């Protein structure tokens, strides 16, 4: 109070001595407002409570201390309603960890440390030092570390934490603390942090505790930075992500952030192609936020040394040109997940192939995906839609941009397929599935086909169509990858620029064959189940349009015919579009096979199309031509065998013509229409009169002009006809 | 087996007691001890054979299940083939009959036929439209695939160039150092030695601070030192 009056008298004195006008008076009103504000603040109970906690003497008793109780309740109320501001966090954390009033209030205070915006790094560093100085119980230390992990992304800078890496590492020997310390170290490790004695310590711990996943994770990160120091073998497909520890602050954090309405961390600054529209949206779940791209060092410190700094943090780059200029000295942010939102960052990551960065990115991604979809024990699954949708869309566009997937998302998908219901976020999950790189044929059944089969046959028609489309995309991507990366025939091709798994050409062919046969089987069975539904047939024919051109479009010497369960339902389809597509596919098969045969003779390469393939193809074509052109349905030797008696009983006259171009269910309307146009006066419509040579060629022309190019190509390449003088068509 | 046990006991008592078998034991079917021993031996042989047969039977059973499991996929595919063939034949027959009936109907000129004709006209129009759209889609899809191939090619070339650049930069470093190779190596050795010493000293100081449970944050000089214990002025 005394200070306030002094200030007022100061301003009185200054104003009375002043002569000039309005600027001074406006300054004066500002000063007065400022003082009013400060006076209000000084009387604010929350501020007083904080003053109490910062000034309380060591050794003050807890029990029966009403002042302490009231102040703590006040702080807790503020924390749970709108979160604590950074200064409050500093004060309370210092109070708790210094154990000035004993250990009992420590736990209580830690539990209410909900930050509103950022957590000052200083406070965390002080708390860690206190933790090593004082005798705090292990469970309280665990609670503290869990808190640090929960709010890690909200800590404003990480350079001081990295400076005390060694002190944090010291805690790793404590068995109960070990998992959490390893997680924290994982987030802070840099190349310089990897020292021989630390590796040795971790290996000792592994010897004592067994091959725990948290130790393996940290060791694998060390190995990526300094492979010569870590010689043990790490299994390449580890369970991704540290275990999801129950965090008592999560729900409170969500509540606070919802109430505050705006994201705690500012939006992503790099916007070249992928725009971040999310800053105005309410954030619901912390772990699906793509964190902002920030610098490791706090902004103030940075501006001092900007000229002498060797590394340029990624957050400072605004355009592609800047990226190019500084490509050799870029410093990646501490939180690798932030890279997913910016195409510039992804571009850089893709070019440079920094293994440690990729490892950390995969780790973060794995954690986020597991937490959201696999570990969510609370019944809030229904609320996941909006956030999860946006996150997965972001991930999909990142993968689309890079034209490859992430290993952590693949691992996640293999697990998720076993528990998925087929309808939750279907387009996104199917999209992610189509980005999986080539799976070795020894594992593809167990990993992919078994869960997919189960899902497929227990789901709706639309899921079936969606899955077939997804597998079509997957095949396209595999083939595209092959056509670009397999320059020599027998060399090992690396599947994914991130993994070191290599695959030979024959291994790749095996996997592709497995996939095609799998889809063929799914297609045949589903067509039988769904009664040859046209939509399903259309997606299946899409797939076979890809398959028929594997040789010519993608350079893979592989030709696989559609199975009878697909070919015949497509041929007997009642809509002309499907039949036309089938004809187109058959035509492409012929082109591919003839080209393959001629190349085989010329170049004498190792690939060889088996006789069985040619036989199957000929069989199919002979059947089609016999039915459509020669009106010889049910001829002996075809796959469709029906007894003579049965056919006679069907009371269809001339049943052998029932699937030619005139009587086929798909084309009958066209034949009738043509007949009507050709001979409008005729009363008795006899479709077989179209078989005479002149009407026949007119009818063919009419049919082909309806847009049935596939049929046209097929007929032209497979049927030799007499060309009459007046016939406009050329072979 | 209980019989065996009691027989054994009987035999033992007879064998142990000197002299002829006592009166009570002779009620046991007038067989001499040797006969009983022979019987015992036979029974144990028979039991052994039975045990062998039982275990052999078990093995045979497990072998057959293994074989059956191996043959299962073949049988399943055969079954599926048969089902598919049946389905296709049935489909052909049904379609044939159905469309024959439809065709006959449409040839007439009653109102039902007219309705059918209207529907089939609409179908034809839709099919033309669908065909058009499919053509466009096919064209666009081909373009997309081409573009994706090109992008992937670019990516591969970029990676190749980056690798070449790395090789060139590393080569360039070594080129000049041929003359001073020995000096460099000695220098490197010294650097390693001092580096190890520095790291060890840092570690020891850190250990002391931790063991003494000193709050080094409060003393500014100590704080400055402790905060640099991770750093190493010369990068690796």
């Amino acid at each position: 109070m005394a200070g306030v009056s002094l200030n007022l008298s100061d301003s009185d004195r200054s104003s009375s001595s002043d002569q000039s006008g309005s600027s001074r008076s406006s300054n004066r009103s500002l000063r007065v407002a400022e003082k009013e504000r400060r006076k209000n603040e000084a009387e604010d109970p929350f501020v007083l409570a904080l003053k109490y906690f910062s000034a309380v003497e060591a050794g003050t008793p807890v029990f029966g201390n009403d002042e302490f109780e009231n102040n703590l309740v006040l702080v807790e109320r503020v924390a749970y309603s709108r979160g604590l501001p950074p200064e409050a966090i500093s004060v309370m954390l210092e109070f708790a960890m210094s154990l000035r009033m004993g250990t009992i209030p420590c736990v209580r205070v830690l539990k209410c440390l909900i930050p509103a915006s950022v957590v000052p790094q200083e406070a965390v560093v002080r708390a860690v030092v206190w933790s090593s100085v004082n005798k705090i119980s292990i469970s309280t230390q665990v609670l503290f570390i869990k808190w640090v992990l929960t709010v890690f992304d909200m800590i404003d800078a990480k350079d001081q934490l990295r400076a005390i890496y060694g002190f944090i590492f010291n805690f790793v020997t404590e068995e109960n603390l070990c998992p959490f310390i390893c997680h924290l170290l994982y987030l802070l490790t840099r190349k310089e942090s990897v020292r021989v004695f630390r590796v040795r310590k971790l290996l000792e711990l592994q010897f004592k505790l067994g091959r725990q996943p948290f130790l393996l994770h940290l060791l694998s990160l060390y190995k990526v930075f300094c492979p010569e120091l870590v010689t043990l073998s790490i299994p390449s497909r580890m369970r991704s992500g540290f275990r999801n520890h129950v965090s008592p602050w999560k729900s409170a954090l969500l509540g606070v952030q919802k109430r505050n309405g705006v994201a705690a961390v500012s939006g992503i600054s790099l916007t070249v192609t992928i725009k971040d529209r999310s800053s105005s949206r309410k954030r619901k779940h912390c772990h699906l936020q793509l964190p902002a791209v920030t610098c490791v060092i706090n902004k103030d410190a940075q501006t001092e040394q900007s000229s002498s700094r060797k590394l340029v943090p990624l957050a400072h780059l605004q355009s592609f040109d800047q990226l190019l200029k500084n490509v050799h000295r870029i410093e990646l942010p501490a939180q690798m997940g932030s890279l997913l939102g910016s195409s510039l960052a992804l571009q850089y990551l893709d070019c440079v192939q920094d293994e440690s960065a990729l490892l950390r990115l995969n780790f973060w991604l794995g954690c986020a995906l597991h937490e959201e979809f696999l570990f969510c024990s609370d019944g809030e699954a229904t609320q996941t839609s909006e956030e999860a949708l946006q996150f997965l869309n972001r991930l999909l566009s990142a993968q689309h941009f890079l034209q490859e997937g992430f290993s952590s998302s693949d691992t996640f998908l293999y697990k998720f397929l076993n528990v998925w219901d087929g309808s939750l976020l279907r387009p996104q999950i199917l999209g992610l599935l189509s980005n999986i790189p080539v799976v070795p044929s020894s594992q593809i059944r167990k990993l992919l086909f078994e869960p997919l089969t189960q899902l497929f046959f227990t789901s709706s028609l639309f899921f079936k169509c969606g899955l077939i489309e997804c597998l079509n995309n997957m095949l396209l991507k595999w083939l595209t990858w092959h056509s670009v990366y397999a320059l020599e025939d027998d060399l090992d091709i690396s599947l994914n620029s991130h993994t070191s798994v290599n695959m030979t050409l024959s291994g790749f062919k095996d996997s592709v064959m497995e996939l095609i046969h799998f889809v063929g089987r799914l297609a045949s069975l589903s067509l039988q189940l769904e009664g040859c539904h046209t939509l399903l047939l259309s997606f299946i024919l899409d797939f076979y349009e890809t398959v028929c051109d594997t040789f010519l479009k993608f350079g893979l010497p592989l030709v696989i015919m559609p199975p009878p369960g697909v070919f015949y339902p497509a041929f007997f389809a009642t809509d002309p579009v499907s039949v036309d597509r089938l004809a187109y596919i058959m035509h492409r098969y012929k082109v591919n096979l003839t080209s393959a045969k001629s190349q085989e003779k010329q170049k004498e390469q190792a690939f060889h199309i088996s006789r069985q393939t040619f036989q199957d193809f000929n069989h199919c074509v002979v059947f089609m031509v016999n039915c459509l052109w020669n009106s010889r349905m049910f001829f002996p030797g075809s796959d469709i065998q029906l007894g003579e008696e049965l056919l006679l009983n069907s009371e269809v006259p001339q049943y052998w013509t029932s699937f030619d171009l005139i009587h086929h269910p798909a084309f009958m309307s066209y034949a009738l229409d043509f007949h009507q146009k050709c001979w409008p006066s005729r009363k008795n419509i006899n479709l077989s009169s179209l078989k005479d040579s002149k009407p026949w060629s007119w009818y063919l022309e009419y049919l082909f002009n309806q847009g049935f190019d596939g049929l046209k190509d097929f007929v032209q390449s497979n049927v030799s006809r007499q060309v009459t003088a007046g016939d406009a068509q050329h072979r | 087996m209980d019989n065996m046990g009691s027989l054994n006991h009987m035999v033992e008592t007879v064998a142990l007691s000197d002299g002829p078998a006592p009166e009570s034991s002779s009620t046991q079917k007038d067989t001499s001890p040797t006969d009983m021993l022979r019987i015992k031996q036979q029974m144990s042989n028979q039991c052994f054979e039975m045990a062998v047969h039982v275990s052999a039977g078990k093995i045979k059973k497990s072998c057959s299940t293994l074989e059956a499991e191996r043959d299962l996929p073949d049988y399943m595919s055969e079954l599926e083939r048969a089902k598919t063939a049946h389905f296709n034949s049935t489909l052909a027959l049904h379609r044939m009959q159905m469309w024959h009936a439809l065709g006959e109907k449409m040839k007439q000129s009653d109102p039902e036929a007219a309705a059918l004709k209207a529907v089939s006209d609409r179908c034809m129009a839709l099919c033309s439209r669908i065909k058009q759209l499919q053509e466009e889609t096919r064209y666009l899809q081909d373009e997309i695939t081409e573009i994706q191939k090109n992008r992937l090619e670019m990516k591969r070339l970029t990676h190749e160039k980056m690798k070449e650049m790395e090789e060139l930069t590393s080569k360039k470093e070594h080129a000049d150092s041929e003359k001073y190779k020995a000096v460099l190596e000695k220098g490197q050795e010294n650097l390693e030695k001092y580096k190890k010493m520095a790291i060890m000293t840092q570690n020891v100081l850190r250990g002391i601070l931790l063991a003494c449970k000193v709050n080094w944050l409060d003393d500014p000089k100590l704080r400055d030192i402790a905060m640099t214990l991770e750093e190493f002025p010369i990068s690796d």
Side-chain angles (χ1 to χ4, degrees), chain A residues 58-77:
Chain A
T60 319
V62 175
F63 291 114
N65 190 340
D66 286 338
E67 202 187 348
F68 162 77
E69 186 63 34
N70 293 338
N71 284 327
L72 189 54
V73 164
L74 188 62
V75 170
E76 278 173 345
R77 204 179 302 145

Side-chain angles (χ1 to χ4, degrees), chain A residues 45 48 89 101 106 141 289 318 320 402 467 557 583 618 657 722:
Chain A
L48 287 173
I89 302 251
M101 287 179 76
C106 182
Q141 286 187 5
Q289 283 178 11
Q318 302 296 334
F320 196 64
L402 290 174
L467 186 63
N618 288 334
T657 65
Q722 266 71 31

Side-chain angles (χ1 to χ4, degrees), chain A residues 122 126 130 133 163 166 198 350 401-404 487 521 528 553 572 574 580 653 658 665, chain B residues 80 84 95-96 99-100 131 138 142 148-149 151-152 155-156 159 213 215 217-218 223 227 230:
Chain A
E122 270 288 326
R126 287 193 75 85
W130 276 122
V133 168
R198 286 181 186 148
D350 188 44
F401 180 76
L402 290 174
Q403 283 191 279
E404 60 188 338
L487 297 173
R521 184 162 170 263
Q528 289 171 23
K553 257 198 213 167
F572 295 136
T574 55
D580 179 66
S658 48
Chain B
E80 279 177 18
T84 311
R95 293 269 156 93
M96 179 177 80
W99 254 260
H100 173 70
K131 255 346 268 189
R138 200 181 284 157
D142 284 343
Q148 281 187 337
K149 264 200 223 172
R151 277 194 76 212
L152 208 55
K155 191 166 134 125
R156 188 183 67 84
H159 289 165
K213 297 202 184 280
N215 190 345
L217 273 178
D218 290 335
R223 180 178 184 278
M227 286 301 231
E230 270 304 303

